[in-house]
């Protein structure tokens, strides 16, 4: 039995902010951001909540899969920026969708979150415990940014993507890998908690996302090709048999480096970071939906999905569409 993606969906906030817009509020430029990251614009949530974005994405995915929300057994949401610490995004989504028969919980594996959630869904389906699962990845990272820190706030965007997965005899996930390296977690950090515990000195305050960009870059370009090759091997395929590589959209230079290391042409690496920025757990499912809607996915195609990010964490899956 395989776990097959039968429907995808995505939602971006209405407000689009270009690099030129940012250069009016920060000491930055379109040239700096574009040349170092490939990002030209991102969408920022002004009126939307993460729950509303995730619900819009989920409805599209459910429509394509022809699944009524009441049929869902499980909702898995990958995020590090849920509207509330509790209830979780997945529980809020369950309420929004009226998916009253589903269990629901969140997974935090940062930019690898969607891969970890998809692989969790795969294990549930293979075990026979659940049949119809909604997997969502989404973020409102703009609420975790220090908007005075030009080295981070220009990189990220907001949005949500969704996939409905069902058991299938022939198509679906063929092989997966995942990994974590907590010892290097400080490379990308966010302690977004208010704390007024009277027994802790200086306990109040919020911190924002901080990143050692060069450490994250080195980690990504070394780890992602290895993880992809391992997942392809587990799937019993050769790299030449892969039609598309759908990678986490952190930075075009990381994707170019992975393409070079794998000796696979950039044409096989679709991107949307130009217009979306880095949406952490939302990147992979949003890009998957964008290419699905463009008609770039054909039955029988072999696709690699790969995520990497804070934790540090990484995950890759190979599937037949
Ligand atoms: N605009 C203009 N100048 C800037 C900006 C900005 N937005 N941000 C930083 N600078 C300046 C710095 O202050 C520094 O100036 P200085 O030399 O006078 O001190 C200079 O640019 C170079 O800064 P670096 O941080 O060294 O820039 P670098 O070339 O390493 O690029 C980047 C930064 C793009 C983040 C790079 O390290 C990178 O690609 N890292 C990969 C990590 C990544 O993409 N993370 C995304 C999130 S993590 C994830 O999703 C996995």
């Amino acid at each position: 039995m395989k776990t097959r993606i039968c429907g995808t969906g995505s939602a971006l906030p209405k407000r689009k902010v270009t690099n030129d817009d940012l250069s009016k509020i920060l000491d930055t430029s379109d040239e700096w951001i574009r040349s170092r990251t490939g990002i030209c614009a991102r969408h920022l949530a002004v009126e939307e909540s993460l729950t509303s974005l995730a619900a819009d994405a989920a409805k599209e995915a459910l429509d394509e899969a022809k699944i009524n929300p009441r049929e869902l057994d499980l909702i898995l949401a990958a995020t590090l920026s849920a509207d509330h610490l509790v209830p979780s995004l997945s529980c809020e989504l369950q309420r929004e969708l009226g998916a009253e028969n589903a269990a629901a919980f969140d997974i935090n594996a940062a930019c690898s979150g969607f891969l970890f959630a998809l692989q969790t869904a795969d294990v549930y389906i293979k075990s026979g415990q659940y049949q119809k699962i909604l997997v969502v990845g989404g973020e409102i990272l703009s609420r975790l940014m220090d908007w005075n820190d030009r080295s981070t706030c220009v990189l990220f965007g907001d949005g949500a993507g969704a996939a409905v997965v069902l058991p299938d005899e022939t198509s679906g996930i063929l092989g997966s890998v995942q990994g974590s390296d907590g010892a290097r977690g400080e490379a990308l950090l966010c302690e977004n908690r208010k704390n007024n515990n009277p027994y802790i000195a200086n306990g109040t305050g919020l911190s924002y996302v901080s990143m050692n960009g060069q450490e994250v870059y080195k980690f990504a370009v070394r780890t992602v090709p290895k993880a992809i090759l391992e997942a392809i091997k587990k799937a019993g395929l050769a790299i030449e048999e892969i039609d598309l590589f759908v990678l986490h959209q952190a930075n075009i230079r990381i994707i170019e480096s992975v393409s070079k290391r794998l000796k696979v042409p950039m044409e096989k690496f679709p991107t949307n970071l130009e217009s979306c920025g880095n949406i952490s757990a939302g990147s992979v499912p949003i890009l998957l939906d964008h290419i699905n809607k463009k008609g770039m996915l054909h039955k029988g195609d072999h696709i690699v999905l790969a995520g990497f990010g804070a934790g540090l964490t990484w995950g890759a899956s190979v599937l037949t569409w």
Side-chain angles (χ1 to χ4, degrees), residues 85 143-144 190-198 200-208:
L85 271 181
R143 54 165 72 124
L144 303 182
C190 180
E191 302 167 87
N192 189 42
R193 297 282 185 281
K194 276 186 182 145
N195 187 343
N196 68 352
N197 180 339
I200 297 176
N202 305 318
T204 54
L206 283 170
S207 87
Y208 301 101

Side-chain angles (χ1 to χ4, degrees), residues 26-29 32-33 36-37 111 150-152 154-156 188 211-214 216-217 219-220 248-251 253-254 278 280 308-310:
L26 289 163
D27 181 13
T28 190
S29 65
W32 193 97
I33 302 170
R36 282 183 175 70
T37 69
C111 309
R150 65 180 182 171
S151 70
T152 52
V154 304
L155 304 174
F156 296 94
L188 217 172
M211 180 177 72
N212 181 336
Q214 280 158 18
V216 176
Y217 185 89
F219 149 71
H248 170 49
Q249 301 288 292
N251 185 312
R253 292 190 303 169
I254 293 176
N278 176 348
S280 190
F308 50 93

